[in-house]
Amino acid sequence: AATLGLFQRVPSGFIPDEDQGYFITATFLPDGASLDRTERVVADLEKFLLSNPNIEHTVSMVGLDLFAGRVNSTSAAVTFARLKPWDQRTAKGTSNREIIGSVWGRFGGVPEAMVIAVNPPSIQGLGQRAGFEMQLQARGGQDIRELAATADRFIAEARKRPELTGLTSTLRVTQPQVFIDLDRDRAKTAGVPVNAVFEALQATLGQLYVNDFDKYGRVWRVQLQAEPSFRKSPEDVGRIFVRNSSGGMVPLSTMLTTRTQAGPNLFPKFNGFPAVQISGAPAAGYSTGQTMEIMSELAAKLPAGYGFEWSGASYQEVKAGNAAPIALLFGVIVVFLVLAAQYENWSLPIAVLLVVPLGVLGALVAVYWRGIDRDIYFQVGLLTLVGLSAKNAILIIEFCIVLRKQGKSLREAAVEAARLRFRPIIMTSLAFILGVLPLVIAKGAGAAGRHSIGTGIMGGMIAATVLAVFFVPLFFVLVQGASEWVARLLHGHARMIGGPREEGTEPPPTQAP
């Protein structure tokens, strides 16, 4: 009962947030801000980062929106801060999480920009940052602006929860845009094909692929693009000329009208539905599993026609959430079948496996006391504990069986076996506990994962060792006593079914072949 209760109390997680020796800082200015304004904010950010003695150097890419699908934007930038080696960051306040917190404290109230410092994902390729990643979907045919408004209200509600921090979304509908309206009737009257108009716009304002050619043993690509001085303002669009069907040059100003508007920065989709990615991280003292439960509760209050899906590492966490109990169950079944074959008995393996919950209880107490989540590493440690805790029980029960066959009572056999096997159990268990101690106190790269697996195994082995000496003899007495009682009951029932035999009517003994 204590094991089940504590299992529900320890927060769940997927992979611990590691100190990888660097962190990511994303900078966002108001949509439409110039590249010069963004560079000034990034320069201030780099100056602050380099003033920290624990940061070795920084690399900034101004004009890249990393969280919005790596799109180009003059109002966005990303900075990578490389930390000094782990052995030079042993003092308090020098960990990755604490340095990230100092960035939030310095730039959290800056009015001209939003600066977000995050830890990189523990597994490269599963998202852009550590934490959770949700896709808010418009499943009822809503347009992109309605989706953005709903996402903004959803994030505003989520920011009221103290368990969540660093909430961001990838969709914004305030991006300044130039809308070009082509009068197709005028273009047809002037003899200008519509595709020629679009190619001219692409070649001038963007870039147009022409062909490839070989030179100096290499293949060179030809791309057409206008010089920046000829595409500086919307009025430059009307100065573009395109050739009509008769060979003449027609200015686009005669068939185009331009206007400015605010529009979305991208048109994302997820599983076929228009979607906006919402990401964040758990606050100090909380796990990703807890934050995902909170986000699911908030998403249940979304208007009709909206839904959500998990992506990145969050999707893997949900997918692997029910796998650990199943794997643990299969591990127990395998151990049970192996012991049943070894003892040639179905009841004694039960006495051995009853010690497994004691080891799991110790593992849960250890990670709960240290503030570690029930992540993948901890679940692997539980599988290891099934064999390790059963090993101690096997050492005692093996002697219990021998002493029972020698004619001792159940209680005498159990007490004597526990006394004889006490020293081997303590010696082997201490050897293993001290063997995993380096994982428990590990520092540097990958330390969080080592803490998770080492703390769980060490706590489980301590509990399985201390408690097994007292409980395994009890388990043997109860299980073996019940087994012998059932055997006597069945044997007596079989004699009653056969009935009493008259003297001299016993069947002759069977001859050996």
Side-chain angles (χ1 to χ4, degrees):
T3 302
L4 291 176
L6 195 57
F7 196 87
Q8 299 296 326
R9 190 174 182 85
V10 176
S12 63
F14 183 54
I15 295 178
D17 196 3
E18 295 280 5
D19 184 344
Q20 302 185 45
Y22 77 99
F23 63 91
I24 305 171
T25 304
T27 304
F28 301 99
L29 273 73
D31 290 325
S34 65
L35 204 62
D36 293 337
R37 289 179 57 189
T38 308
E39 287 177 346
R40 286 195 294 268
V41 175
V42 171
D44 189 21
L45 171 64
E46 289 182 332
K47 183 179 179 181
F48 172 77
L49 293 176
L50 294 176
S51 65
N52 191 322
N54 299 294
I55 297 179
E56 201 168 54
H57 58 77
T58 60
V59 176
S60 297
M61 287 178 280
V62 182
L64 176 66
D65 192 343
L66 183 66
F67 294 160
R70 301 173 185 252
V71 299
N72 295 327
S73 174
T74 59
S75 59
V78 59
T79 302
F80 296 89
R82 178 71 179 180
L83 303 176
K84 289 186 177 180
W86 291 270
D87 56 359
Q88 301 180 24
R89 293 187 289 115
T90 57
K92 187 178 180 180
T94 59
S95 67
N96 199 357
R97 179 183 291 272
E98 291 167 318
I99 297 175
I100 289 175
S102 66
V103 178
W104 279 92
R106 166 63 177 81
F107 291 92
V110 174
E112 63 268 20
M114 180 174 64
V115 179
I116 300 174
V118 296
N119 209 21
S122 299
I123 300 178
Q124 296 297 325
L126 291 183
Q128 303 291 345
R129 54 176 291 187
F132 61 87
E133 187 176 293
M134 168 190 281
Q135 302 288 339
L136 181 61
Q137 298 173 313
R139 300 175 179 175
Q142 299 89 344
D143 62 21
I144 199 72
R145 298 181 184 278
E146 293 176 336
L147 174 61
T150 303
D152 291 340
R153 291 192 295 267
F154 180 78
I155 293 176
E157 288 296 321
R159 284 174 176 162
K160 297 178 181 178
R161 300 297 296 265
E163 303 92 341
L164 307 174
T165 183
L167 290 165
T168 60
S169 67
T170 57
L171 179 62
R172 299 185 301 276
V173 292
T174 56
Q175 187 82 21
Q177 297 175 346
V178 177
F179 184 82
I180 299 177
D181 189 7
L182 173 63
D183 191 335
R184 297 174 182 264
D185 293 334
R186 284 190 179 183
K188 186 176 181 180
T189 303
V192 177
V194 173
N195 63 331
V197 175
F198 294 148
E199 286 183 358
L201 290 172
Q202 181 180 354
T204 307
L205 305 178
Q207 59 183 14
L208 179 65
Y209 168 74
V210 179
N211 61 4
D212 296 329
F213 71 95
D214 297 329
K215 192 173 183 180
Y216 307 123
R218 294 180 57 186
V219 178
W220 302 82
R221 170 170 289 191
V222 180
Q223 297 193 111
L224 196 62
Q225 185 179 48
E227 292 290 338
S229 59
F230 297 99
R231 47 186 175 90
K232 296 176 64 174
S233 66
E235 288 76 15
D236 293 331
V237 177
R239 302 188 181 99
I240 301 173
F241 285 79
V242 62
R243 192 178 302 276
N244 60 10
S245 55
S246 59
M249 302 299 292
V250 180
L252 291 184
S253 59
T254 60
M255 61 190 78
L256 291 180
T257 57
T258 62
R259 70 174 187 270
T260 58
Q261 65 177 22
N265 59 332
L266 70 163
F267 291 87
K269 285 193 174 184
F270 189 82
N271 288 345
F273 295 103
V276 51
Q277 177 180 308
I278 299 174
S279 58
Y286 297 94
S287 67
T288 55
Q290 292 174 309
T291 56
M292 290 170 63
E293 291 178 3
I294 294 172
M295 295 296 287
S296 299
E297 294 174 2
L298 296 174
K301 303 176 183 178
L302 287 170
Y306 290 92
F308 76 96
E309 295 285 349
W310 299 107
S311 60
S314 299
Y315 170 75
Q316 299 296 332
E317 182 172 347
V318 172
K319 189 176 180 181
N322 298 324
I326 297 175
L328 187 62
L329 177 62
F330 273 102
V332 171
I333 291 175
V334 169
V335 173
F336 176 82
L337 294 177
V338 171
L339 293 176
Q342 176 183 349
Y343 293 137
E344 298 181 355
N345 187 298
W346 291 106
S347 60
L348 287 177
I350 298 176
V352 173
L353 292 176
L354 282 175
V355 78
V356 172
L358 302 178
V360 176
L361 176 62
L364 291 171
V365 169
V367 296
Y368 181 73
W369 172 72
R370 203 173 181 187
I372 298 176
D373 305 334
R374 288 188 290 108
D375 51 33
I376 292 294
Y377 296 107
F378 174 76
Q379 295 167 11
V380 172
L382 288 186
L383 269 180
T384 308
L385 276 177
V386 173
L388 293 173
S389 55
K391 180 263 300 179
N392 287 342
I394 291 172
L395 290 176
I396 296 178
I397 289 180
E398 187 72 30
F399 270 57
C400 289
I401 297 172
V402 174
L403 295 172
R404 179 61 173 159
K405 289 180 180 179
Q406 293 177 0
K408 292 183 179 292
S409 66
L410 289 175
R411 184 178 183 278
E412 291 173 345
V415 173
E416 182 66 15
R419 185 186 66 82
L420 291 174
R421 305 307 291 167
F422 177 76
R423 181 183 296 176
I425 288 176
I426 296 299
M427 290 175 61
T428 56
S429 299
L430 277 179
F432 190 86
I433 290 171
L434 295 177
V436 300
L437 182 61
L439 297 178
V440 178
I441 61 175
K443 296 182 179 180
R450 300 179 202 176
H451 292 166
S452 182
I453 191 170
T455 303
I457 292 179
M458 188 175 186
M461 279 302 297
I462 292 175
T465 302
V466 173
L467 300 178
V469 178
F470 300 98
F471 280 88
V472 171
L474 172 65
F475 295 154
F476 172 78
V477 172
L478 295 177
V479 174
Q480 185 65 17
S483 177
E484 293 179 3
W485 178 79
V486 172
R488 289 194 300 268
L489 184 66
L490 293 177
H491 182 69
H493 184 62
R495 291 179 62 87
M496 291 176 62
I497 292 176
R501 293 183 180 273
E502 296 182 3
E503 186 177 355
T505 61
E506 287 81 0
T510 303
Q511 295 294 328

